[in-house]
Amino acid sequence: MRLVYVSPGPLDAKAVEGLSEFAATWQGEVVALAPDSGVASPDGVRVVTGPAPSAASVRALAPDVVLALHRPEFAWLTEVAPTVFTAEFDRRIRTDQQRVTAGGAVDRARIALGQVRRERRYRAMAAAAAGLQCNGHAAWDAYAGLNRSSLPFRDHRIRRADLALARRRSTWNGDRPLRVAFSGRITAVKGPATVLDVAARLPEVQFVLLGDGDQRTALESSAPGNVRFAGFLPFRDWTAFMRDEVDVALLPYPQGDPSCTYYEALGCGVPVVGVRNTTWSRLADEEGLGWAERDAHALAARLRRLRPADLDAVRTRALEALTPFEEVAAQRVAHLAAAARGGR
C-alpha cells in the first residue's frame, strides 16, 4: 500500500520525525508531496517536490490513502483518493488566530462572520473524508461526530525513552529558587510579554525563555534581572534542558490551539502553568495536568503558592497518562491502513 502525505509547505523538523515514525510501521511505501524538501528527507520516505499539490500530481502517485491537514485548500483531495484529514482547530480557535491582526471592531466582526461561512466547508470536508484524525479536545468535539471513522490523538514527540528519563528526575523540593521556563515563539500570539509581567512580580523566581521571534529584542531589553533568554534549542537539546534545568513550564498562550509544547513539557516531567484557553483549560481542570489562570496576576499567585507536593502530583499524573510518540504514530498508521482498505 502507498501512503501519500500532502504537505502545505516545506517539511520541517517535526514533520520529518513524524513521517519517519510512520514509515517504521506502515506496510508499504510512504511518499511526501511537498513544495520543496525542507530541512531534510525523512527516513524511509520518498519525497516528491514541485509546485503546489494538484489533483494530477496526487493521482500520479497512485495513493491507497492520502493524509493532509483539515484545510479548505485540500477539500478536492477526497475526489482524488481516500483521504484522512488531520483536524486541530475548531471555529473558535481559527477566529481567535485571525483576530490577533484585526484592526478594530469592524475587522473583528468581519473575521467572525467569515469563519461562520467557512465552517460549512470544514464540516463538509470532515463528512466526506475516509477518516478524520483529531488532535485535541476542540477538533474532536467539533468534527468527530461527522465522520464514520474518527481517531483522537495528541500530537507530540515524547518517546518511551524520554518518559523513562523523566521518571528518574527529582521534583523541586523548595531548597533553592524555583526555575520556570517559557517555550515557544517569542511573538505576540504566544504571550511571552506575560512571562515578563509575571517575573517582575516574583523576583525570587528564576525565569528562562526558550525560543526566538520578532519580539525577542524588545522584550530582552526590558526584562527584569531574574529573566534570561536562551534562544532556540533543537528538540533533543530542549528535552534535556527541560529535564535538567526546569521545575515548572509557564506557557501563557492566549490562543487555544493544541500546542505540542504542553505535552512535551509534561513528558519531560515538568508541570505546566498556563492561561485559560480552549485547550489548556480542559487539560488543567478536567485532567489535572497543571493549572490554568486568567492573567499575569493570577499566574504569579499560582507560582508563589506552589509546593513540592503539588508539582509531584501533577508530574506523576502526566507521566502515567501520556501515550508515547511511538504508540501515537502506530495508532495513526493503523487508522490510515483501515481507511486505505476501506477505500479499495
Side-chain angles (χ1 to χ4, degrees), residues 98 109 132 137 158 208 225 227 291:
Q98 290 201 347
L132 196 66
H137 289 300
I158 294 295
V208 60
V227 175
W291 300 271

Side-chain angles (χ1 to χ4, degrees), residues 91 95 111-120:
R91 178 166 59 88
T95 301
I111 288 169
L113 180 59
Q115 286 299 327
V116 168
R117 291 171 173 165
R118 286 167 67 89
E119 183 65 9
R120 290 192 292 270

Side-chain angles (χ1 to χ4, degrees), residues 239-307:
T239 56
F241 183 92
M242 294 293 286
R243 283 194 306 267
D244 297 342
E245 305 292 338
V246 179
D247 303 312
V248 180
L250 177 57
L251 307 177
Y253 303 158
Q255 296 179 346
D257 58 285
S259 172
C260 62
T261 310
Y262 295 131
Y263 309 118
E264 290 172 349
L266 293 166
C268 292
V270 178
V272 174
V273 177
V275 294
R276 294 202 163 276
N277 62 41
T278 306
T279 292
W280 181 242
S281 294
R282 291 188 64 173
L283 293 174
D285 297 345
E286 298 178 17
E287 300 186 33
L289 298 179
W291 300 271
E293 306 294 348
R294 296 182 312 278
D295 53 24
H297 174 78
L299 291 169
R302 172 63 66 184
L303 289 171
R304 187 180 292 114
R305 65 177 180 267
L306 283 177
R307 298 295 178 263

Side-chain angles (χ1 to χ4, degrees), residues 162-183:
D162 296 313
L163 293 174
L165 290 170
R167 291 185 181 103
R168 294 204 290 268
R169 66 165 287 172
S170 59
T171 303
W172 176 72
N173 62 11
D175 65 352
R176 55 167 172 74
L178 187 70
R179 302 172 302 185
V180 176
F182 166 89
S183 182

Side-chain angles (χ1 to χ4, degrees), residues 19-20 23 28-31 41-46:
L19 288 169
S20 297
E29 184 183 26
V30 179
V31 180
S41 294
D43 293 338
V45 176
R46 177 162 63 98

Side-chain angles (χ1 to χ4, degrees), residues 7 9-20 32 34-43 47 49 157 232 234:
S7 176
L11 301 179
D12 60 15
K14 184 179 174 185
V16 166
E17 188 166 0
L19 288 169
S20 297
D36 62 64
S37 59
V39 295
S41 294
D43 293 338
V47 178
T49 62
R157 292 165 287 174
F232 172 81

